[in-house]
Structure formats: structure tokens, C-alpha cells
Amino acid sequence: MKISFNWLKQYIQTDLSAEKAAEILTNTGLEVEGIEPYESIKGGLKGLVIGEVIDLNQHENADRLKVAKIDVGAEQLQIVCGASNIAKGQKVIVATNGTTLYPTGGESFKIKKAKLRGVESNGMICAEDEIGLGNSHEGIMVLPNDYEVGQPASKYFPVDSDTIFEIGITPNRSDALSHIGVARDLLVALKTNHNFTGSLDWPEVEIYQKDNDELSIKVTVEDNIACPRYAGVTISGVDVKPSPSWLQGRLKAIGLSPINNIVDVTNFVLHELGQPLHAFDADQITGKEVIVKKLPKNTSFKTLDEKERKLSENDLMICNPKEGMCIAGVFGGMKSGVTETTKNIFLESAYFDPSHIRKTSSTHGLRTDAAVRFEKSIDPDKVVYALKRAALLIKEVAGGSISSEIVDVYPSEIEPSKVTLRYGRINMLTGLDIPKEKVKSIVEELDIKIDAEIDEALQISVPAYRSDVTREADVIEEVLRIIGFDNIPLGKEVKSTLSFSIQPDRNKLINTTAEFLASNGYHEIMGNSITHSQHYDKQLTELKDKIIPLLSYSSADLDALRPSMLFSGLEAIAYNINRSNDRLRLFEFGKTYHKRKDGFSEKEHLTIFFTGDKAEANWLKKSEGASLFELKSTVEALLQLNGISEWEENPVTNDLFEQVLELRSNKDNIGIGGKLSAPVLKQWGIKQPVFYVDLNWEFIVNHPKTEKKYRPIPKFPGMKRDLALIIDKSKSFKEIETIAKKTEGQLLRKINLFDVYEDGKLGKDKKSCAVSYFFQHEDRTLTDKEIDDVMSRLMKNYEQQLEATIRK
């Protein structure tokens, strides 16, 4: 949230620097994440001076250009100008060489010495849109004759400077979503820790009074649960026009665009007090009655953004007797807003139930400033105060008369939370011995009323606008944050207890696996567990019926829990490829969610993605694309790292993949992976091969671990033998390796496939595999006879189990 420091100082009279104020706010829990200077005219008109056109001639090489001699006080400049309204004797604004201009709605550019059609030009004579003073580009700005030549333009066009805080408001601090709210925290901290004696200067509304009874609007609230308090007043005879510069300046400073004086006042009060308001065109209120109620489900309603929306049964509406005018607390309707022709308005100020607003905002994907505040809860006691403040401002900037009594429908007052605050509990939770008087002072400065002091405790009433403070621990946290978390002294002792972790240690396995993958060039990603259900209309359609839809969501693109982690990875890959980062190695630990007949289930997964070349191409090495064998190598090393030494690779059929392998251990599924098919990648606009494996992390964690054994480096030499086998193409190296290990598991140290040859001469659907074997004994040197015997048994087993032919 953006906070203007100048605006903030309207409510606290202090000479604090912006940096010091930011430090104090951060220490109270309102973290200032950024501090930025702000100028009402970007660039501050630096380098712009007042000049006079003392001579003007036609450009010799261009009909539409003129060559002007400009007196800027210190020197006379020759400037080529294409404006049709330039004339001798005019006072103008000149940008000298080296000046950076910030045009309205455009990118900045620097003025440099140049030649235009062969004539030298030193500077630029400016139009108002070229220097951020307006939107007109009809010609250069012609200034009054009394403007002094050589003076900086900022002398005649004042530039307001400000400092803008970017504050990270935590979800519980709805009370701080305004300048008054931030000022209130700053004041309490100053009084508590910096001997400040000032007070909070609330805007005055005592002069508020009704002018006449010419425009009465009846208000009926049919749903007091969704709308506990609703207030309104009419103002007649307003003049809708642009806001005065002070009001526009306040809004621009915090990043808002001025619209008109009526709407700008409602936005101003929203950011001043935290109270959302809505101004209706009173002449558009049919029957001169406002009804707060819910309309039937699927009722069509066109909002201000000209979108037709279907209402849900939860949506609270502001209606007239004929139709809905506004989605309460969220967004206005096409017919309810203030326009240039509006003369009479009905000004609304209300307190809506946070849960209703949150659901409506999520259902329609409308995260407006008003909805953000209503869904977190506002101050119900400031509803009428904010209404009076806005009405007085509207009279000031738009004229008009207050033409009715304030209607305030508030049948059941929202009571403050009652809490017992024990001094002993404060000291126990904080580790500090805070004096009682200091505790009472902080509590009172926080607008918390002390009802009674009894037996080492306080009976207190927490104001309704602090909806997050309902327990003793909450109040203690408030006291502590005002004292300042940085002021808590470090203890001289460190106390700990022995703890015994559950085996297997899931976090340790995750960290070990993540470190292994990272050391091999992979980057960890964290995908969103909420996805778009339509992803499963074309791919993974078998999961469509297992998708768990969200009852409430902030975006139509995020409406369900993910039943697969494939699409979150592909989304990350597509995002990177579109930004010229096409060599990717990614992995993600996460969960998938599934609907079952008897409820719901969660499953833990580890997914691995890679695409692009194995390594960057260079003069020494050509680029080499990713392959299925790289995937297998990574998975094998990962499984062995996690104590899984035996598994089976089964070729299966799956529409997601062009090449696919399923990994199993006995009857348990370890995972599935391979090269993703073109239709899957096309859905995400990916044109390069992508390899993907989805591992059952629950199985990996819970599978009995093979004990790691360590042995010294052998003292005796080993022996190597090669063997060429002709086998069916359907046979895999895994089968060759398994047979070898079963035949001679003690002496065989390494087995490697170093060549694969395919030729029709070998036989139909046959291939030749060249395999090397390395044998070694720990205690002695092997003999040729021993190895010959092993190789004979190997060849016999290959012939029997693989129907292999041994190549001589």
C-alpha cells in the first residue's frame, strides 16, 4: 500500500525525516518495504527555462520547419522548431541540451545537440505534453509576457515534492489501510518511545449541517446480517468537473488517476480514513428508494466495466425498487455511477459483513480497493463520520447543498471485544518486565478502553475496528510491537530440549534430494497448487472427474486444486522459453489433490523437467540435445541416493508421452516419465522437446532403505572382459544388467553398455549390444580361469533367458 509522507503529516505535526518515520513504522509491524521520491511533475522541470523568440526564419530545406533564435538569459540558442503557432516575440519554455524530458504518458528522452535537415539545433521549444504539464500537443506553450527570461520553469509552474512509502500490510491489519491508520500507529510509537507530546489531528466535521430537505431518498435494509450498518445522504446541485490541483495531487502521489471531483473525493476519503464510499446519481435511483438486499441466483447485472455478470445467491446488492444498481462493497453498476451530467447525488457509507464481501469479490474476480477493505473489516463507528467528511469535501470542490438528513440504519450495534489483560501474562510471554503504567499508557494510546483495573489485571474493551485483536495474547502482541521488537534484549542463556525425529526424516530426505538435483544443474520451482480446471479438458482427461473445485476463488483461471503437477511445470517452462531462457532443468516437490467416493486425498510427488541442450555450445563442444537417457540417468542416481537399489522399467502406453517408461518396485508404482508428446506441448506453445518424470514421493520416503556399505580402495587389480550379444530390440540393457548381477554378484564391480548396433543382417527386429564387465576381488588377484568360468555362465544365462546369440 502506498502512503504519502506529506499527506501523513497532515495528521501528525512532526519534523521527523521520512527515513526515520519509515524506521519507526517498520519497528511497529508496518513494514516499509520501499521509499521513493515523488514529484508532481516528473523530472521536476529540471533543465527547463523561460526563453524569448527574438528571431524567426523559414528553414531553407523544409517547408514545415522554422529556425528560431531564443534568448534564455545566459545565452542565445538556435533551435529548429516545427510548431505551427511559433511567432517572434513569444515567451516559451525551452529544454536545453542535456535535459531529460518526461512526456505525459510516454517514455523519457534526452535533448541533444542535433542537425535537422542540415541546420544545427541546440535545444527544444516545448509543448505542454512534452514536459508533463498537460495533454495538449496542438503547439508549443506560449507564456504570458511578464514571465522573466532565463528563469527556471519551476518558478512559474511549482513542483510538489513528496516521499512515498510502500508498506507491506499484513492481512490482519485492516486498521492500517489508510493514512489515518498509519498515522495512528506512528503517533503511539512516538509517544511511547520518543517523548512525543502531539496528538492525532482528525479532519474536522463539526461544521457539517443540512442545507435543505429538497431531495429525500428512502433506505431499506432487508439483510442486516450482510449489512449491519448503512448510512446515506443526498447532495443536490453539484457541478461535476475535474478536481482542484490539491486533490488531484494527493491521488496522483499514491498512484491513482483522478476521474472527476465527486469520484475523487470518495477515493480520497477511502485512502484517508479507510472507509469506502459510493456516490450514486440520485436522478437514476428509480422510486427514490435504496434497498439493500440479495437478488435471485443467476440474475444478470452489468457492472461499470461493461461486463454482464451472473449474480450468486451470496451477492449483496444495492437496488432501487426496479433493479440492482451496485454490487455492495465491491463494484458499481453501469447506471449508478456519476457522469458529467450528474447534478444530484446520493452518497453511501456502510459497513458490510466481511465474509459476504470476500465471497462476492472472489466469485466475480473483482479485487477493488473497496472490496479489499470491506473483506478485512473496517471501523463501523466511523461510517457516519466518513460520510460527513466526504459531504463537506464535495461541497468544497463541487458546490451543491446537503439536501437531506443522514439516514443511518444500524439496528444492532457492533460491540467491542472484552479482554482481561494480566500483567504477569505480559511479562511471561514477552520476557520483559514492563511497568504497569507503561502498559496502561500504550493500551489507551491504542484506542483500547480500560474498563477496570483488578488484581494485577486490566478489564479492557478493544474497539471494533481492531477485528484481529480478540484475545489476551493479541493485546500483548500489540503492546510489544509498540515497544518495538528490536528493543527486546537478547537473553544470556540458550535453552533447548532433546528431540527425536520420526524416521524416516522427510525433511532430511527432501533436502538431500534437492541438494543432489541442484548440484546437477537443476533449479527448484514452486508451482501453484490451485489450477485451471479447463487444462484437463484436452489432456489428462481421466482426472477430470477427480478434480476438487474451489467454492470461492479470486480468478476464473484458478478454480480448482491440481490433480497433477504436470501443468504447473509446463507453465514455468513456457514462461521461461518466451523470455529466451530455453535451456531448463527444473524440479518440484508438491502435492496433488483428488476427489474420491469416500472423500478427498492428497498425494506427495517429486516432478523433474528438462528441456534444451545439455550444455551451452562453445568452440570446443557442439550442442547436444536432451534425451531420454539423461532422464534415466538422473532418476537412477536419485533412487539410489534415497536407498532404493532395485526396480523394474516397464514400457507402457500413455498419450502424454512419445517415449515412456514406468518404474515399479514389485507391485508398487515408483513413477512414470519420458518425452512429452507434441499435442501436450502445443497446448502451452512449447516447440522444443520436453522430458518429464513424475515420482511417487510417498513411496520413496517410506520404502525400506538399502543400507549403505563402505569398503576401502582395492589393493588388487581387476580384470575387464567384453561381450557382444544379439538380442531382440524389445530387450533392454536393464535385463542384461540384472542377469549379470544375479550370475556373479560378488566379483562384478561394473557393467557398461558401450555400443548398440542395428542392421537387417542381424535378423528381423534384432540388435547387437556390446557390453563391458569389470571384475575384482578384495583379497587377491583373479585368474583368467575364474573369469572365463564367469563369462561362460553369463553367456549361458543370456542364451537361456534372453534367447541371445553370442557374437564371436
Side-chain angles (χ1 to χ4, degrees), residues 383-435:
V383 168
V384 172
Y385 174 86
L387 190 67
K388 291 180 178 179
R389 169 68 167 157
L392 289 172
L393 284 173
I394 287 173
K395 284 187 65 177
E396 177 185 335
V397 302
S401 304
I402 298 174
S403 299
S404 71
E405 295 285 355
I406 290 178
V407 178
D408 184 15
V409 182
Y410 196 18
S412 299
E413 187 171 337
I414 298 174
E415 297 293 334
S417 300
K418 300 291 184 180
V419 178
T420 299
L421 179 63
R422 294 166 291 175
Y423 294 118
R425 187 67 172 166
I426 296 174
N427 297 338
M428 187 187 79
L429 289 182
T430 64
L432 302 175
D433 186 12
I434 307 174

Short mmCIF file of all heavy atoms in Angstrom, two decimals, residues 383-435:
data_model
loop_
_atom_site.label_atom_id
_atom_site.label_comp_id
_atom_site.label_asym_id
_atom_site.label_seq_id
_atom_site.Cartn_x
_atom_site.Cartn_y
_atom_site.Cartn_z
N VAL A 383 -18.50 5.16 10.15
CA VAL A 383 -19.32 5.19 8.93
C VAL A 383 -19.93 6.57 8.72
O VAL A 383 -19.83 7.15 7.62
CB VAL A 383 -20.42 4.11 9.01
CG1 VAL A 383 -21.47 4.33 7.92
CG2 VAL A 383 -19.82 2.71 8.89
N VAL A 384 -20.55 7.13 9.74
CA VAL A 384 -21.20 8.44 9.61
C VAL A 384 -20.16 9.56 9.57
O VAL A 384 -20.32 10.54 8.82
CB VAL A 384 -22.20 8.66 10.75
CG1 VAL A 384 -22.72 10.09 10.75
CG2 VAL A 384 -23.36 7.69 10.62
N TYR A 385 -19.09 9.42 10.34
CA TYR A 385 -18.02 10.42 10.32
C TYR A 385 -17.46 10.57 8.91
O TYR A 385 -17.28 11.69 8.41
CB TYR A 385 -16.91 10.01 11.30
CG TYR A 385 -15.69 10.90 11.26
CD1 TYR A 385 -15.62 12.06 12.00
CD2 TYR A 385 -14.60 10.56 10.45
CE1 TYR A 385 -14.48 12.87 11.95
CE2 TYR A 385 -13.47 11.36 10.39
CZ TYR A 385 -13.42 12.52 11.16
OH TYR A 385 -12.31 13.32 11.10
N ALA A 386 -17.16 9.43 8.25
CA ALA A 386 -16.62 9.47 6.89
C ALA A 386 -17.63 10.07 5.92
O ALA A 386 -17.25 10.78 4.98
CB ALA A 386 -16.23 8.06 6.44
N LEU A 387 -18.91 9.80 6.15
CA LEU A 387 -19.96 10.36 5.30
C LEU A 387 -19.97 11.88 5.40
O LEU A 387 -20.06 12.59 4.38
CB LEU A 387 -21.31 9.78 5.70
CG LEU A 387 -22.49 10.06 4.78
CD1 LEU A 387 -22.31 9.37 3.44
CD2 LEU A 387 -23.80 9.59 5.43
N LYS A 388 -19.87 12.40 6.61
CA LYS A 388 -19.85 13.86 6.81
C LYS A 388 -18.60 14.46 6.18
O LYS A 388 -18.66 15.52 5.54
CB LYS A 388 -19.89 14.18 8.30
CG LYS A 388 -21.21 13.87 8.97
CD LYS A 388 -21.16 14.22 10.45
CE LYS A 388 -22.50 13.96 11.14
NZ LYS A 388 -22.46 14.28 12.59
N ARG A 389 -17.45 13.79 6.38
CA ARG A 389 -16.20 14.29 5.81
C ARG A 389 -16.30 14.39 4.29
O ARG A 389 -15.94 15.42 3.69
CB ARG A 389 -15.06 13.34 6.20
CG ARG A 389 -13.73 13.55 5.49
CD ARG A 389 -13.06 14.83 5.86
NE ARG A 389 -11.68 14.87 5.40
CZ ARG A 389 -10.98 15.97 5.20
NH1 ARG A 389 -11.55 17.16 5.40
NH2 ARG A 389 -9.73 15.95 4.80
N ALA A 390 -16.83 13.36 3.64
CA ALA A 390 -16.95 13.37 2.18
C ALA A 390 -17.96 14.41 1.71
O ALA A 390 -17.73 15.09 0.70
CB ALA A 390 -17.36 11.98 1.69
N ALA A 391 -19.07 14.56 2.43
CA ALA A 391 -20.09 15.54 2.03
C ALA A 391 -19.53 16.96 2.08
O ALA A 391 -19.78 17.77 1.17
CB ALA A 391 -21.30 15.41 2.95
N LEU A 392 -18.76 17.26 3.11
CA LEU A 392 -18.16 18.60 3.21
C LEU A 392 -17.14 18.83 2.09
O LEU A 392 -17.07 19.93 1.54
CB LEU A 392 -17.50 18.76 4.58
CG LEU A 392 -18.45 18.86 5.78
CD1 LEU A 392 -17.68 18.83 7.09
CD2 LEU A 392 -19.29 20.14 5.70
N LEU A 393 -16.35 17.80 1.76
CA LEU A 393 -15.38 17.94 0.68
C LEU A 393 -16.07 18.12 -0.66
O LEU A 393 -15.61 18.91 -1.51
CB LEU A 393 -14.46 16.71 0.64
CG LEU A 393 -13.38 16.62 1.72
CD1 LEU A 393 -12.67 15.27 1.65
CD2 LEU A 393 -12.36 17.76 1.57
N ILE A 394 -17.18 17.41 -0.87
CA ILE A 394 -17.91 17.55 -2.14
C ILE A 394 -18.46 18.97 -2.27
O ILE A 394 -18.39 19.58 -3.36
CB ILE A 394 -19.02 16.49 -2.23
CG1 ILE A 394 -18.40 15.12 -2.48
CG2 ILE A 394 -20.01 16.83 -3.34
CD1 ILE A 394 -19.37 13.97 -2.42
N LYS A 395 -18.99 19.51 -1.19
CA LYS A 395 -19.47 20.90 -1.23
C LYS A 395 -18.32 21.86 -1.58
O LYS A 395 -18.51 22.83 -2.31
CB LYS A 395 -20.07 21.29 0.11
CG LYS A 395 -21.46 20.70 0.37
CD LYS A 395 -22.08 21.27 1.64
CE LYS A 395 -22.36 22.77 1.50
NZ LYS A 395 -23.03 23.32 2.69
N GLU A 396 -17.13 21.53 -1.05
CA GLU A 396 -15.97 22.40 -1.28
C GLU A 396 -15.52 22.37 -2.73
O GLU A 396 -15.18 23.42 -3.31
CB GLU A 396 -14.82 21.97 -0.36
CG GLU A 396 -13.53 22.76 -0.57
CD GLU A 396 -12.38 22.21 0.27
OE1 GLU A 396 -12.64 21.59 1.32
OE2 GLU A 396 -11.21 22.40 -0.14
N VAL A 397 -15.49 21.19 -3.35
CA VAL A 397 -14.91 21.07 -4.69
C VAL A 397 -15.95 21.01 -5.80
O VAL A 397 -15.60 21.17 -6.97
CB VAL A 397 -14.00 19.82 -4.78
CG1 VAL A 397 -12.90 19.88 -3.75
CG2 VAL A 397 -14.79 18.53 -4.64
N ALA A 398 -17.21 20.76 -5.45
CA ALA A 398 -18.24 20.63 -6.50
C ALA A 398 -19.48 21.46 -6.22
O ALA A 398 -20.44 21.41 -7.00
CB ALA A 398 -18.64 19.16 -6.64
N GLY A 399 -19.46 22.24 -5.13
CA GLY A 399 -20.63 23.03 -4.80
C GLY A 399 -21.78 22.16 -4.35
O GLY A 399 -21.61 21.01 -3.93
N GLY A 400 -23.01 22.68 -4.45
CA GLY A 400 -24.18 21.89 -4.09
C GLY A 400 -24.61 22.12 -2.65
O GLY A 400 -23.96 22.83 -1.87
N SER A 401 -25.73 21.48 -2.32
CA SER A 401 -26.32 21.63 -0.99
C SER A 401 -26.62 20.25 -0.42
O SER A 401 -27.05 19.35 -1.14
CB SER A 401 -27.61 22.44 -1.06
OG SER A 401 -27.39 23.69 -1.66
N ILE A 402 -26.39 20.10 0.89
CA ILE A 402 -26.77 18.86 1.58
C ILE A 402 -28.28 18.91 1.74
O ILE A 402 -28.82 19.76 2.45
CB ILE A 402 -26.05 18.74 2.93
CG1 ILE A 402 -24.53 18.67 2.69
CG2 ILE A 402 -26.53 17.50 3.69
CD1 ILE A 402 -23.70 18.69 3.94
N SER A 403 -28.97 17.99 1.07
CA SER A 403 -30.42 18.14 0.89
C SER A 403 -31.25 17.08 1.60
O SER A 403 -32.37 16.78 1.21
CB SER A 403 -30.74 18.12 -0.61
OG SER A 403 -30.09 19.19 -1.26
N SER A 404 -30.69 16.48 2.67
CA SER A 404 -31.48 15.54 3.47
C SER A 404 -30.78 15.29 4.79
O SER A 404 -29.60 15.63 4.95
CB SER A 404 -31.66 14.20 2.73
OG SER A 404 -30.43 13.49 2.70
N GLU A 405 -31.53 14.72 5.70
CA GLU A 405 -30.91 14.23 6.93
C GLU A 405 -30.07 13.00 6.58
O GLU A 405 -30.32 12.33 5.58
CB GLU A 405 -31.97 13.84 7.96
CG GLU A 405 -32.83 14.99 8.47
CD GLU A 405 -32.09 15.89 9.45
OE1 GLU A 405 -30.93 15.55 9.81
OE2 GLU A 405 -32.65 16.91 9.84
N ILE A 406 -29.08 12.72 7.41
CA ILE A 406 -28.33 11.48 7.23
C ILE A 406 -29.21 10.31 7.66
O ILE A 406 -29.73 10.28 8.77
CB ILE A 406 -27.03 11.50 8.06
CG1 ILE A 406 -26.04 12.50 7.47
CG2 ILE A 406 -26.39 10.11 8.11
CD1 ILE A 406 -24.74 12.64 8.24
N VAL A 407 -29.40 9.37 6.75
CA VAL A 407 -30.12 8.14 7.07
C VAL A 407 -29.09 7.14 7.60
O VAL A 407 -28.11 6.83 6.91
CB VAL A 407 -30.83 7.56 5.83
CG1 VAL A 407 -31.54 6.26 6.19
CG2 VAL A 407 -31.80 8.57 5.26
N ASP A 408 -29.28 6.62 8.80
CA ASP A 408 -28.32 5.70 9.41
C ASP A 408 -29.06 4.48 9.94
O ASP A 408 -29.69 4.54 10.99
CB ASP A 408 -27.55 6.40 10.53
CG ASP A 408 -26.46 5.52 11.14
OD1 ASP A 408 -26.13 4.50 10.51
OD2 ASP A 408 -25.96 5.87 12.23
N VAL A 409 -29.00 3.39 9.19
CA VAL A 409 -29.67 2.15 9.59
C VAL A 409 -28.65 1.29 10.31
O VAL A 409 -27.74 0.71 9.70
CB VAL A 409 -30.25 1.41 8.36
CG1 VAL A 409 -30.98 0.15 8.81
CG2 VAL A 409 -31.16 2.32 7.56
N TYR A 410 -28.80 1.17 11.64
CA TYR A 410 -27.83 0.46 12.47
C TYR A 410 -28.58 -0.21 13.62
O TYR A 410 -28.49 0.21 14.78
CB TYR A 410 -26.80 1.46 13.00
CG TYR A 410 -25.52 0.86 13.57
CD1 TYR A 410 -25.12 -0.43 13.29
CD2 TYR A 410 -24.68 1.65 14.37
CE1 TYR A 410 -23.95 -0.95 13.80
CE2 TYR A 410 -23.50 1.15 14.89
CZ TYR A 410 -23.14 -0.16 14.61
OH TYR A 410 -21.96 -0.67 15.12
N PRO A 411 -29.32 -1.28 13.30
CA PRO A 411 -30.21 -1.87 14.31
C PRO A 411 -29.50 -2.53 15.47
O PRO A 411 -29.99 -2.49 16.61
CB PRO A 411 -31.00 -2.90 13.50
CG PRO A 411 -30.14 -3.22 12.32
CD PRO A 411 -29.43 -1.94 12.00
N SER A 412 -28.34 -3.15 15.24
CA SER A 412 -27.63 -3.85 16.31
C SER A 412 -26.19 -3.37 16.32
O SER A 412 -25.40 -3.72 15.42
CB SER A 412 -27.67 -5.37 16.10
OG SER A 412 -29.00 -5.84 16.12
N GLU A 413 -25.84 -2.59 17.29
CA GLU A 413 -24.51 -2.01 17.36
C GLU A 413 -23.46 -3.10 17.56
O GLU A 413 -23.63 -4.03 18.35
CB GLU A 413 -24.43 -1.01 18.51
CG GLU A 413 -23.13 -0.23 18.54
CD GLU A 413 -23.15 0.91 19.55
OE1 GLU A 413 -24.25 1.37 19.89
OE2 GLU A 413 -22.06 1.33 19.98
N ILE A 414 -22.37 -3.01 16.82
CA ILE A 414 -21.27 -3.97 16.94
C ILE A 414 -20.49 -3.63 18.20
O ILE A 414 -19.93 -2.54 18.34
CB ILE A 414 -20.37 -3.93 15.70
CG1 ILE A 414 -21.17 -4.33 14.46
CG2 ILE A 414 -19.15 -4.83 15.86
CD1 ILE A 414 -20.42 -4.17 13.16
N GLU A 415 -20.45 -4.58 19.13
CA GLU A 415 -19.84 -4.35 20.43
C GLU A 415 -18.33 -4.57 20.37
O GLU A 415 -17.83 -5.40 19.61
CB GLU A 415 -20.44 -5.30 21.47
CG GLU A 415 -21.94 -5.10 21.72
CD GLU A 415 -22.23 -3.76 22.38
OE1 GLU A 415 -21.32 -3.24 23.09
OE2 GLU A 415 -23.34 -3.24 22.19
N PRO A 416 -17.59 -3.82 21.19
CA PRO A 416 -16.14 -4.06 21.27
C PRO A 416 -15.84 -5.39 21.94
O PRO A 416 -16.65 -5.91 22.71
CB PRO A 416 -15.64 -2.88 22.11
CG PRO A 416 -16.82 -2.46 22.91
CD PRO A 416 -18.02 -2.71 22.04
N SER A 417 -14.68 -5.95 21.66
CA SER A 417 -14.27 -7.21 22.28
C SER A 417 -13.83 -6.94 23.72
O SER A 417 -13.10 -5.99 24.00
CB SER A 417 -13.11 -7.84 21.51
OG SER A 417 -13.48 -8.11 20.18
N LYS A 418 -14.27 -7.79 24.64
CA LYS A 418 -13.92 -7.67 26.05
C LYS A 418 -12.76 -8.64 26.34
O LYS A 418 -12.85 -9.83 26.06
CB LYS A 418 -15.11 -8.00 26.94
CG LYS A 418 -16.33 -7.10 26.72
CD LYS A 418 -16.07 -5.68 27.19
CE LYS A 418 -17.34 -4.82 27.06
NZ LYS A 418 -17.11 -3.43 27.53
N VAL A 419 -11.69 -8.12 26.93
CA VAL A 419 -10.50 -8.93 27.21
C VAL A 419 -9.98 -8.62 28.60
O VAL A 419 -10.01 -7.46 29.05
CB VAL A 419 -9.39 -8.65 26.17
CG1 VAL A 419 -8.13 -9.46 26.48
CG2 VAL A 419 -9.87 -8.95 24.76
N THR A 420 -9.50 -9.65 29.28
CA THR A 420 -8.80 -9.46 30.55
C THR A 420 -7.30 -9.55 30.28
O THR A 420 -6.81 -10.56 29.76
CB THR A 420 -9.20 -10.53 31.57
OG1 THR A 420 -10.61 -10.43 31.84
CG2 THR A 420 -8.44 -10.35 32.88
N LEU A 421 -6.58 -8.49 30.62
CA LEU A 421 -5.15 -8.41 30.35
C LEU A 421 -4.39 -8.48 31.67
O LEU A 421 -4.47 -7.57 32.49
CB LEU A 421 -4.82 -7.11 29.61
CG LEU A 421 -3.35 -6.87 29.26
CD1 LEU A 421 -2.85 -7.92 28.29
CD2 LEU A 421 -3.16 -5.47 28.65
N ARG A 422 -3.64 -9.57 31.86
CA ARG A 422 -2.90 -9.78 33.10
C ARG A 422 -1.45 -9.32 32.95
O ARG A 422 -0.77 -9.69 31.99
CB ARG A 422 -2.93 -11.27 33.48
CG ARG A 422 -4.32 -11.79 33.82
CD ARG A 422 -4.34 -13.30 33.84
NE ARG A 422 -4.19 -13.86 32.49
CZ ARG A 422 -4.07 -15.16 32.23
NH1 ARG A 422 -4.07 -16.04 33.23
NH2 ARG A 422 -3.95 -15.58 30.99
N TYR A 423 -0.97 -8.55 33.93
CA TYR A 423 0.40 -8.07 33.87
C TYR A 423 1.39 -9.23 33.89
O TYR A 423 2.40 -9.21 33.17
CB TYR A 423 0.68 -7.14 35.06
CG TYR A 423 -0.11 -5.85 35.02
CD1 TYR A 423 -1.01 -5.53 36.03
CD2 TYR A 423 0.06 -4.94 33.98
CE1 TYR A 423 -1.74 -4.35 36.01
CE2 TYR A 423 -0.66 -3.74 33.95
CZ TYR A 423 -1.56 -3.46 34.96
OH TYR A 423 -2.29 -2.30 34.93
N GLY A 424 1.10 -10.22 34.72
CA GLY A 424 2.01 -11.37 34.80
C GLY A 424 2.11 -12.11 33.48
O GLY A 424 3.17 -12.59 33.10
N ARG A 425 1.00 -12.20 32.76
CA ARG A 425 0.99 -12.87 31.46
C ARG A 425 1.81 -12.08 30.44
O ARG A 425 2.48 -12.67 29.59
CB ARG A 425 -0.46 -13.01 30.99
CG ARG A 425 -0.63 -13.83 29.73
CD ARG A 425 -0.31 -15.28 29.96
NE ARG A 425 -0.65 -16.10 28.80
CZ ARG A 425 -0.23 -17.34 28.62
NH1 ARG A 425 0.52 -17.93 29.53
NH2 ARG A 425 -0.58 -18.02 27.54
N ILE A 426 1.76 -10.76 30.54
CA ILE A 426 2.56 -9.93 29.63
C ILE A 426 4.03 -10.23 29.81
O ILE A 426 4.78 -10.46 28.86
CB ILE A 426 2.28 -8.42 29.88
CG1 ILE A 426 0.83 -8.07 29.56
CG2 ILE A 426 3.24 -7.57 29.05
CD1 ILE A 426 0.46 -6.66 29.91
N ASN A 427 4.47 -10.24 31.09
CA ASN A 427 5.88 -10.47 31.36
C ASN A 427 6.31 -11.87 30.96
O ASN A 427 7.44 -12.08 30.48
CB ASN A 427 6.16 -10.23 32.85
CG ASN A 427 5.90 -8.78 33.25
OD1 ASN A 427 5.90 -7.89 32.40
ND2 ASN A 427 5.66 -8.54 34.53
N MET A 428 5.41 -12.85 31.13
CA MET A 428 5.76 -14.22 30.80
C MET A 428 5.93 -14.40 29.29
O MET A 428 6.87 -15.04 28.82
CB MET A 428 4.68 -15.17 31.32
CG MET A 428 5.05 -16.65 31.16
SD MET A 428 3.72 -17.76 31.58
CE MET A 428 2.74 -17.66 30.09
N LEU A 429 5.02 -13.83 28.50
CA LEU A 429 5.07 -14.02 27.05
C LEU A 429 6.15 -13.19 26.38
O LEU A 429 6.71 -13.59 25.35
CB LEU A 429 3.71 -13.70 26.43
CG LEU A 429 2.57 -14.69 26.71
CD1 LEU A 429 1.31 -14.25 25.98
CD2 LEU A 429 2.93 -16.10 26.28
N THR A 430 6.45 -12.02 26.94
CA THR A 430 7.42 -11.12 26.30
C THR A 430 8.83 -11.31 26.83
O THR A 430 9.80 -10.96 26.15
CB THR A 430 7.02 -9.65 26.49
OG1 THR A 430 7.07 -9.33 27.90
CG2 THR A 430 5.63 -9.39 25.96
N GLY A 431 8.95 -11.84 28.04
CA GLY A 431 10.27 -11.94 28.65
C GLY A 431 10.76 -10.60 29.17
O GLY A 431 11.93 -10.45 29.54
N LEU A 432 9.88 -9.61 29.20
CA LEU A 432 10.23 -8.27 29.67
C LEU A 432 9.45 -7.92 30.93
O LEU A 432 8.32 -8.39 31.12
CB LEU A 432 9.92 -7.22 28.59
CG LEU A 432 10.60 -7.38 27.23
CD1 LEU A 432 10.06 -6.32 26.27
CD2 LEU A 432 12.10 -7.24 27.36
N ASP A 433 10.05 -7.11 31.77
CA ASP A 433 9.36 -6.59 32.96
C ASP A 433 8.87 -5.18 32.62
O ASP A 433 9.55 -4.19 32.87
CB ASP A 433 10.31 -6.59 34.16
CG ASP A 433 9.58 -6.21 35.45
OD1 ASP A 433 8.32 -6.18 35.44
OD2 ASP A 433 10.26 -5.92 36.46
N ILE A 434 7.68 -5.11 32.00
CA ILE A 434 7.16 -3.81 31.53
C ILE A 434 6.38 -3.15 32.67
O ILE A 434 5.46 -3.76 33.23
CB ILE A 434 6.25 -4.01 30.32
CG1 ILE A 434 6.98 -4.81 29.23
CG2 ILE A 434 5.79 -2.67 29.77
CD1 ILE A 434 6.12 -5.17 28.05
N PRO A 435 6.72 -1.93 33.02
CA PRO A 435 5.99 -1.24 34.11
C PRO A 435 4.50 -1.16 33.82
O PRO A 435 4.08 -0.98 32.66
CB PRO A 435 6.63 0.14 34.14
CG PRO A 435 7.98 -0.05 33.52
CD PRO A 435 7.82 -1.12 32.49
#
